[in-house]
Amino acid sequence: MPARRQLTMRQIKQMLRLAHDGVSSREIGRTLGVARSTVQDNLARATAAGLTWPLGPGVSDAVLEQRLFARAGVCVSACNFDPLRRGIGVQF
């Protein structure tokens, strides 16, 4: 099995734009150099996340990544907060 590589946000945005323009998943995959199934999976994620092209002005790369790849029930930022690591003293 080939190694998985992550798509860049630029590739994902181009994928959304091409799909909006009516380009087939096969052709999008050929253009981006990824498998057709990768295109279909990412377009399904975008649909499930309610993302359409053009993206709104408030959709940065970080927001796009969070909406596409965040797992339900998994805390991304606040759960990783460690006050001791941040230099904030906590007494127990």
Side-chain angles (χ1 to χ4, degrees):
M1 179 178 280
R4 292 182 63 159
R5 68 175 178 87
Q6 290 185 344
L7 295 174
T8 64
M9 285 298 121
R10 185 177 192 168
Q11 287 176 309
I12 291 173
K13 288 178 181 179
Q14 187 174 9
M15 187 182 300
L16 292 171
R17 182 184 58 79
L18 291 170
H20 176 3
D21 291 344
V23 179
S24 71
S25 295
R26 184 180 308 268
E27 188 59 34
I28 294 171
R30 199 174 296 139
T31 301
L32 298 177
V34 298
R36 176 184 51 84
S37 60
T38 300
V39 173
Q40 292 172 331
D41 290 346
N42 281 282
L43 292 176
R45 284 178 181 269
T47 300
L51 295 167
T52 59
W53 190 262
L55 296 172
V59 182
S60 66
D61 285 356
V63 171
L64 179 61
E65 182 176 11
Q66 197 275 330
R67 289 182 64 187
L68 285 175
F69 301 110
R71 293 181 292 163
V74 175
C75 186
V76 177
S77 59
C79 293
N80 293 330
F81 179 73
D82 181 0
L84 296 176
R85 194 174 66 188
R86 304 269 175 139
I88 302 171
V90 176
Q91 295 181 356
F92 293 97

